[in-house]
Amino acid sequence: MIASMVTACASILIAVMAYWLNHRAETRRSQREARIDRVSSQLKDLYGPLLVLTETNERAWAEYYRHYIRPIGAGRADIQLPESEEARWRTWVETVFAPTAQKIRDIITARGDLIIGREMPPVVLEFCAHAATYDVLLANWDGAGPSKSTLIRHPGNQFLSYVRESYGSLKEEQTLLLKVAREDDRVGFHQ
């Protein structure tokens, strides 16, 4: 009788432990899958598009600068550009720089919930403010003053660095999470 009670209690204890271990593993798997989904969404919906647009815009600016600004020694915003240079600058602003900045701002505005961290990074807000000033510049090009530039300057390499580093760290995390998930699936499959 005592032996059968011990056996029954042991069976119940083993069943409870098996349930608890299985539940714990399932909870970890669900949390990992949720994290994989979040990181993948951050890459696909925010940081991936930001990286492509930011890199494209930086490359366009570097080429514009190399071909048109550096050869004439321009660079001071308060110097009046010759009419031919101003026309070229306006074309680049209207067709390349402003539309790209506005796309970046729209992505950030629409998908800001995917930003890494608890708060919006100041460099992201600076960029969005810069992009917003293109609206005024394009609406009033002739009255924009001699510099024909945005009122709020581009945050420079800080923004590009932020986007590159964020994308890179998310890719690393995604790779690690997927590796762990594959390993767990292999282990779980063989048991």
Side-chain angles (χ1 to χ4, degrees):
M1 175 98 167
I2 294 178
S4 61
M5 284 180 67
V6 169
T7 303
C9 287
S11 297
I12 291 171
L13 183 60
I14 290 171
V16 168
M17 286 182 64
Y19 171 80
W20 180 78
L21 289 171
N22 187 41
H23 176 71
R24 188 170 162 211
E26 186 61 30
T27 300
R28 275 198 319 254
R29 186 188 65 74
S30 294
Q31 289 172 340
R32 186 177 51 250
E33 284 180 7
R35 185 64 190 151
I36 289 170
D37 290 345
R38 169 91 175 156
V39 169
S40 295
S41 183
Q42 286 176 299
L43 287 166
K44 179 180 70 99
D45 298 329
L46 181 64
Y47 288 100
L50 286 183
L51 182 65
V52 170
L53 289 169
T54 302
E55 292 283 359
T56 301
N57 204 46
E58 289 299 314
R59 177 69 191 264
W61 169 250
E63 289 304 307
Y64 179 85
Y65 183 85
R66 188 170 69 85
H67 286 5
Y68 303 119
I69 295 178
R70 194 173 47 171
I72 63 171
R76 289 194 35 163
D78 58 348
I79 296 175
Q80 184 75 29
L81 294 174
E83 196 172 309
S84 63
E85 294 299 319
E86 185 176 321
R88 179 182 294 126
W89 173 241
R90 183 176 187 161
T91 300
W92 275 78
V93 167
E94 290 175 342
T95 60
V96 179
F97 302 130
T100 304
Q102 290 162 337
K103 285 177 190 172
I104 292 170
R105 179 188 65 190
D106 291 345
I107 290 168
I108 292 167
T109 302
R111 301 311 318 236
D113 61 310
L114 296 174
I115 288 284
I116 297 170
R118 294 175 162 241
E119 295 180 11
M120 188 67 66
V123 72
V124 172
L125 296 174
E126 283 180 52
F127 181 86
C128 289
H130 163 74
T133 61
Y134 272 121
D135 298 338
V136 175
L137 176 64
L138 295 175
N140 188 26
W141 187 269
D142 293 328
S147 68
K148 304 291 194 269
S149 66
T150 57
L151 183 60
I152 299 172
R153 310 286 295 166
H154 187 287
N157 286 333
Q158 289 179 322
F159 184 69
L160 178 59
S161 294
Y162 168 78
V163 173
R164 282 178 179 163
E165 290 168 13
S166 298
Y167 181 85
S169 68
L170 286 170
K171 279 305 275 186
E172 287 176 18
E173 183 178 358
Q174 182 188 49
T175 300
L176 180 63
L177 287 167
L178 291 172
K179 180 181 175 187
V180 169
R182 280 191 301 273
E183 289 171 0
D184 283 356
D185 287 346
R186 264 197 314 269
V187 169
F189 179 73
H190 293 300
Q191 287 183 349

